[in-house]
Amino acid sequence: MSHRRPGTEGNPLRRGADRTRARLRFTFVVACLLAVICGVAAGRSAWTDGGRAAAAIERHRHSVMAVTVGETTYRAGPEPSTRPVPVAPATWRDTLHRVHKETVPVPATTRNGETIRLWVDDQGNASTAPPGTALIALNAITLGAGTSAVIALAAGAVIYARLRIVDARSAQAWESEWESVEPRWSGRLRPGQGSGDE
């Protein structure tokens, strides 16, 4: 006498397609969890790498005070779609007390003779500020969220395509079964079937 474990016989109304759909939905949930894990890992890596890069840049950038020696004008932004950048000629001394003069970005309301804070490189030339914590965090969050989204969307697309195939096969199987069951269920005779036929 064979013994079955409780619950192994399953629901007789549950078809193979139903089990496949349940497995695919479970796979999608697992894929989403993996997407979150990968996104967190990518974000942490970007945060660590960004912090190291910022620290390396900061070692070669210095903040100095500069004095504007002309009126503020505007020059085109780095990209065609960006707004014009306010600039003004300014002079400053680097860490070796050498005098520099260059046109640098300034606040739009800067007037001639005003003192501004300026970042310079090791040679005393005007440069950009080292990346701040906010920018590093934004880059890490963007990369982490992007990684998660790409993995989840890719998994979703594969699962969706597979579900469409399962649904199409299930519909074909249902139509085939219905053709054999419907005449008996409705009492309608099939072509070639007599009233005495079973």
Side-chain angles (χ1 to χ4, degrees):
M1 180 176 173
S2 63
H3 296 282
R4 286 187 179 180
R5 289 185 302 173
T8 56
E9 60 277 358
N11 185 342
L13 297 178
R14 193 170 190 195
R15 299 173 180 240
D18 297 325
R19 288 187 290 275
T20 302
R21 287 187 193 98
R23 282 194 299 270
L24 288 172
R25 290 185 184 111
F26 177 75
T27 301
F28 181 66
V29 170
V30 171
C32 287
L33 290 174
L34 288 174
V36 170
I37 292 169
C38 291
V40 169
R44 284 178 59 110
S45 177
W47 170 262
T48 303
D49 293 344
R52 285 192 193 125
I57 291 170
E58 194 168 2
R59 284 194 293 271
H60 301 284
R61 301 284 165 88
H62 316 283
S63 176
V64 298
M65 301 309 293
V67 177
T68 57
V69 291
E71 297 299 325
T72 299
T73 58
Y74 289 86
R75 72 176 170 209
E79 300 290 334
S81 59
T82 56
R83 298 171 64 180
V85 179
V87 295
T91 184
W92 65 91
R93 289 181 183 273
D94 63 21
T95 54
L96 299 176
H97 302 291
R98 294 173 297 195
V99 177
H100 294 262
K101 183 179 178 184
E102 193 176 333
T103 299
V104 296
V106 296
T109 57
T110 303
R111 292 178 300 208
N112 186 8
E114 281 194 38
T115 300
I116 59 169
R117 183 174 295 278
L118 185 67
W119 285 91
V120 298
D121 60 20
D122 287 336
Q123 287 74 44
N125 300 317
S127 187
T128 56
T133 303
L135 181 60
I136 297 169
L138 179 63
N139 289 340
I141 291 168
T142 301
L143 181 64
T147 301
S148 294
V150 167
I151 294 172
L153 288 173
V158 171
I159 298 295
Y160 177 76
R162 186 71 182 105
L163 281 171
R164 291 291 301 267
I165 293 170
V166 170
D167 288 343
R169 288 179 180 167
S170 179
Q172 288 174 350
W174 186 88
E175 286 178 10
S176 175
E177 290 175 13
W178 180 247
E179 283 180 8
S180 64
V181 170
E182 187 270 337
R184 277 184 263 160
W185 181 79
S186 65
R188 182 175 59 83
L189 295 176
R190 286 180 297 208
Q193 181 181 17
S195 59
D197 295 340
E198 289 277 303

